Amino acid sequence: MSSQLQPEVHAAARPKAEKSLNRMKRSDWLWAYLMIAPTLIGLGVFYIWPVVQTIYLSFTKWGGFGKYKWTGVDNYVLLFQDPNMWIALKNTFVYTVLAVPASIAISILIAVLLNQKIKGISFYRTLYFLPVVTMAAAVAMVWRWLYNADYGLINYLLGLVGIEGPRWISDPAIALYAVIIVAVWSSIGYNMVIFLAGLQGIPRSYYEAAEMDGAGPVRMFFTITLPLLTPSIFFVSITSLIGAFQVFDLIYLMIGKLGNPATEATQTVAYLFFTNGFESGNGGYAAAVAVVLLVLILIVTAVQMKMQKKWVHYD
């Protein structure tokens, strides 16, 4: 008799247990959404909505007192007919192609050196990280003085060995490269910290095994360190490329306008957005520039995400 009642009791209790479990799941989801609600609201208000608004404004023409009218794709037609846009695109790509690989390579080298057990290691790490916490305006002003063609320190040192220094930030032929040097110098500290974290996550046993097999430091670097550091390299490459495409502050603060003949030779897409949106008051055209920049960044990031499977090792 009891054996016949037992399955019936279990069958009657099962729906109640399932309902209780579903209530617990709903409660967990509710609390999860409540916890992330401030971040979601901030993301929507300060990031997603401005993007949507910028895309809409790129199809308009601005008038006085903030008024605008719908013009369709006119801004985009003018944009790709504008020679300044092609100059800005070329300068942006040159800056990105030169600054990002140089910054990553130098940062890896310094991170490997600062990962050793040497005296005063904390001091050296702090020294390399100082440019990261220094305001961009201060960095630009110091390097403007260093680059000054008449009384700058760099040309003074070159003069001591009989070399006539160039006009670093006023010569259109080399001004962009001078800015790239500063950008690489100021980004090394941040990238170095990321690479140091990656290096310290590599098990020491790998190096000990390679050393027992007779591998030297150079071979261990290319066969152990570099492959196992690829997740950090991937992260730094994405953030560095996005930052390079958006470069503005160093160029604006170091080159500026002020009758500088190198202004056109150093203007980037972000700089073109600024001049049209805040100096010329052409908000619709500036929004179109911003949308083109957004599309470029999305394409480059998507390509990187696709290629990571071939060169990034997570083991």
Side-chain angles (χ1 to χ4, degrees):
M1 185 76 176
S2 60
S3 61
Q4 294 177 353
L5 291 174
Q6 189 173 0
E8 295 179 2
V9 172
H10 285 304
R14 191 177 298 116
K16 294 181 179 180
E18 290 178 354
K19 289 181 180 179
S20 177
L21 184 61
N22 290 334
R23 281 197 297 269
M24 289 177 62
K25 287 183 177 180
R26 285 196 296 268
S27 177
D28 290 343
W29 278 106
L30 177 62
W31 280 107
Y33 280 119
L34 285 174
M35 292 298 103
I36 65 174
T39 301
L40 288 176
I41 294 171
L43 186 66
V45 172
F46 296 108
Y47 288 91
I48 297 176
W49 172 243
V51 170
V52 174
Q53 194 174 29
T54 299
I55 294 173
Y56 173 77
L57 291 176
S58 68
F59 296 99
T60 64
K61 180 177 178 60
W62 282 24
F65 303 102
K67 295 182 179 180
Y68 54 85
K69 64 178 182 179
W70 183 266
T71 57
V73 296
D74 289 355
N75 287 324
Y76 292 96
V77 173
L78 292 173
L79 183 64
F80 289 104
Q81 293 175 349
D82 186 357
N84 287 326
M85 180 61 183
W86 295 107
I87 293 172
L89 280 172
K90 185 198 78 169
N91 291 336
T92 301
F93 279 111
V94 169
Y95 177 93
T96 302
V97 168
L98 295 179
V100 173
S103 175
I104 292 175
I106 296 173
S107 300
I108 291 175
L109 178 61
I110 293 174
V112 170
L113 294 174
L114 294 182
N115 197 39
Q116 310 300 317
K117 294 181 180 180
I118 58 177
K119 189 176 181 179
I121 192 69
S122 299
F123 170 76
Y124 293 118
R125 290 177 180 176
T126 304
L127 191 65
Y128 278 104
F129 193 74
L130 277 177
V132 179
V133 296
T134 305
M135 293 179 61
V139 170
M141 292 302 102
V142 169
W143 277 93
R144 278 185 65 127
W145 171 74
L146 292 173
Y147 278 144
N148 190 280
D150 299 319
Y151 53 83
L153 180 61
I154 296 176
N155 280 2
Y156 170 75
L157 294 175
L158 291 175
L160 294 178
V161 294
I163 300 175
E164 184 179 356
R167 308 191 75 82
W168 295 95
I169 56 176
S170 58
D171 185 350
I174 64 171
L176 183 61
Y177 304 103
V179 175
I180 290 173
I181 292 172
V182 181
V184 172
W185 173 83
S186 60
S187 64
I188 286 174
Y190 174 80
N191 296 341
M192 177 201 70
V193 171
I194 303 297
F195 291 135
L196 271 174
L199 288 170
Q200 292 173 5
I202 300 176
R204 183 63 192 167
S205 57
Y206 293 168
Y207 296 101
E208 293 172 353
E211 192 174 1
M212 291 177 64
D213 290 338
V218 176
R219 183 165 184 182
M220 284 192 287
F221 174 78
F222 286 103
T223 58
I224 298 175
T225 304
L226 210 55
L228 295 179
L229 200 60
T230 49
S232 299
I233 296 174
F234 175 65
F235 172 78
V236 170
S237 64
I238 285 185
T239 56
S240 298
L241 278 169
I242 293 174
F245 273 109
Q246 295 176 325
V247 62
F248 166 75
D249 49 359
L250 279 178
I251 292 175
Y252 180 75
L253 293 168
M254 291 184 65
I255 307 297
K257 288 207 172 224
L258 301 177
N260 192 336
T263 299
E264 183 176 322
T266 57
Q267 69 174 342
T268 58
V269 178
Y271 192 93
L272 188 66
F273 162 78
F274 171 79
T275 54
N276 281 278
F278 296 94
E279 292 185 351
S280 302
N282 193 352
Y285 188 83
V289 174
V291 171
V292 170
L293 181 59
L294 172 65
V295 171
L296 286 174
I297 292 174
L298 289 176
I299 292 173
V300 171
T301 305
V303 171
Q304 285 184 292
M305 297 293 291
K306 186 71 175 176
M307 292 178 61
Q308 69 157 324
K309 298 177 183 178
K310 297 183 179 180
W311 65 276
V312 179
H313 305 277
Y314 289 102
D315 295 330

